[in-house]
Amino acid sequence: KGTLKGKIDFASLKKAIPMDSIDLKGVIEALIDFDGKYSSIEKEQYENFKTNGTVSLRNFEYGSKNLTQKVLISSAAMTLNPKTITLSNLCGNMGPSDFSANGSLSNYWPYILKKGTLNGNLNISSKNLNVNVLSQSSGNTAKTTVNTSTNKPFEIPANVNLVIKAVVDKMVFDRLNITGLNGKATVKDKKAILEALNLNLLNGKMLMSGVYSTPKGESPAFDFKMDIKDFDLPSAFRSISTVRYLLPMAGESSGAFNSNLSMRGKLENDYTPVYSTLNGEGVLSTRNVELIGTGLFDEIAKYFRKDMFKQIKINDFSTKFKMIDGALMISPFNTKIAGQDVTISGK
């Protein structure tokens, strides 16, 4: 049995507690009552265990030496009953990134007291989300890309069953500019399961589903399926390390490609794939591809008409491929290169 009732102005805490390394502002108010028998929770007879209350937060600011930007939360409110904690009206920002959220958690008493499974749902939205800034520490202010090479990848918690729905108008992640992101993820059994994640990037669209898992004592693993429409080839080369690894010639090209593919493997600490573990298959088709200034055709041009090989057009084609332990295996396909019929296959 207990009661929590109070109001705290965080700015006044500095008068009582040394806080040289952090900066806190804002006001939190709470009124929570709980009263009942532990056996009622064990038997899931929550109606016999009284829990009622509210917690509100306003004009909250948090800053520290380890953050490049302050976290600002203009408002947030929680209500509690014996079965559920409900979050509403959470609005805030961190630097150029804004965010809002609402949702609920159930089965929280067994989770707190007996390590039961915490169930919940969360809705997140943002008009502008810069993941690079969120990932930076104050020691890396000069860097503009995600730098997590000294950190282990995020581990999915156990005993959590959480459904997350996200809508983001604009997002910057590493070198990618993404718009129109929306989708659903289920966090369960140390896995994050993506369902129908839609996003626009590289002048095209992508629909993704799959699983990111963090088995205990093992490297994080992924198993994704992607439907790619009209990705710009040179932009993909500049922005995605896997494209640079598998298709280095894309850096000397123009045009677009489509693909249906599945890919699975392990991840390094900086979230790049362990290429020797990459396996998958798919279909690749191209549109308006031209090779510009490649070393191979520069050599050929020394012995033939040089103007023929300055800009090499490749007729549109479609081919199947496989990835086996990091190697790209291309099934035979027919096309024309600089107007000449060619059959291509290889590894």
Side-chain angles (χ1 to χ4, degrees):
K1 178 178 180 178
T3 300
L4 173 64
K5 181 180 181 180
K7 177 180 179 180
I8 297 176
D9 184 344
F10 288 111
S12 67
L13 285 180
K14 287 188 175 182
K15 299 177 182 178
I17 303 173
M19 285 189 280
D20 296 333
S21 60
I22 63 173
D23 183 22
L24 275 178
K25 295 179 181 178
V27 176
I28 186 171
E29 294 186 70
L31 175 57
I32 301 173
D33 294 314
F34 56 93
D35 184 2
K37 294 182 178 181
Y38 184 74
S39 59
S40 297
I41 294 174
E42 290 183 308
K43 298 174 182 177
E44 298 184 359
Q45 297 173 345
Y46 302 114
E47 65 278 2
N48 297 328
F49 192 93
K50 175 187 173 184
T51 308
N52 292 295
T54 60
V55 180
S56 64
L57 184 67
R58 65 178 187 274
N59 299 326
F60 177 79
E61 294 185 17
Y62 174 79
S64 79
K65 296 178 180 179
N66 295 322
L67 295 176
T68 58
Q69 305 281 348
K70 286 186 177 181
V71 177
L72 308 176
I73 298 177
S74 57
S75 65
M78 287 194 307
T79 58
L80 294 85
N81 63 43
K83 291 185 178 181
T84 307
I85 298 174
T86 301
L87 171 68
S88 60
N89 301 323
L90 189 154
C91 297
N93 63 280
M94 181 177 177
S97 301
D98 68 274
F99 54 87
S100 61
N102 63 74
S104 63
L105 297 173
S106 60
N107 204 46
Y108 65 93
W109 275 120
Y111 180 77
I112 293 171
L113 298 177
K114 290 192 65 179
K115 295 185 178 180
T117 299
L118 181 67
N119 301 315
N121 62 81
L122 182 65
N123 301 304
I124 302 172
S125 62
S126 174
K127 293 181 179 178
N128 184 58
L129 188 64
N130 191 321
V131 180
N132 297 339
V133 173
L134 298 180
S135 302
Q136 288 175 350
S137 68
S138 60
N140 295 321
T141 53
K143 297 186 178 181
T144 58
T145 58
V146 178
N147 184 0
T148 56
S149 58
T150 59
N151 300 319
K152 293 183 178 180
F154 175 71
E155 184 175 348
I156 306 295
N159 301 324
V160 171
N161 185 358
L162 181 64
V163 177
I164 303 171
K165 294 181 180 179
V167 177
V168 180
D169 293 342
K170 296 180 180 180
M171 183 170 75
V172 177
F173 177 73
D174 201 6
R175 301 179 184 183
L176 294 172
N177 291 298
I178 298 168
T179 62
L181 182 149
N182 69 84
K184 183 174 78 170
T186 301
V187 178
K188 185 178 182 180
D189 299 328
K190 296 184 73 64
K191 298 178 181 178
I193 304 167
L194 289 177
E195 300 178 42
L197 178 67
N198 287 278
L199 53 159
N200 304 318
L201 71 161
L202 303 175
N203 299 326
K205 299 177 180 291
M206 181 167 69
L207 175 64
M208 178 188 294
S209 61
V211 179
Y212 168 74
S213 59
T214 56
K216 188 174 182 179
E218 298 181 24
S219 299
F222 65 93
D223 188 345
F224 289 137
K225 293 183 179 179
M226 289 168 273
D227 184 6
I228 294 169
K229 300 291 186 185
D230 297 325
F231 270 16
D232 180 65
L233 200 52
S235 297
F237 176 86
R238 291 192 299 268
S239 304
I240 305 174
S241 60
T242 307
V243 173
R244 293 195 295 274
Y245 174 80
L246 293 173
L247 296 172
M249 193 174 286
E252 302 168 314
S253 68
S254 63
F257 70 95
N258 302 316
S259 183
N260 289 300
L261 68 97
S262 62
M263 186 185 301
R264 51 200 174 273
K266 302 285 188 177
L267 292 176
E268 299 274 16
N269 283 345
D270 59 357
Y271 292 96
T272 58
V274 179
Y275 291 110
S276 61
T277 69
L278 275 185
N279 287 277
E281 56 277 325
V283 176
L284 176 71
S285 61
T286 64
R287 180 170 54 82
N288 299 330
V289 171
E290 293 186 354
L291 303 180
I292 304 168
T294 64
L296 171 64
F297 289 106
D298 284 345
E299 288 298 313
I300 294 174
K302 292 179 180 179
Y303 306 99
F304 298 93
R305 285 177 49 199
K306 292 186 177 182
D307 59 338
M308 286 180 61
F309 298 98
K310 288 182 179 179
Q311 196 159 338
I312 308 299
K313 179 175 175 56
I314 300 177
N315 283 25
D316 298 350
F317 66 83
S318 179
T319 182
K320 295 181 179 179
F321 64 88
K322 289 185 178 181
M323 285 170 282
I324 301 175
D325 298 333
L328 179 64
M329 317 288 289
I330 301 173
S331 299
F333 66 93
N334 299 316
T335 185
K336 287 188 176 183
I337 298 179
Q340 306 300 307
D341 291 323
V342 177
T343 299
I344 297 175
S345 65
K347 173 182 178 180

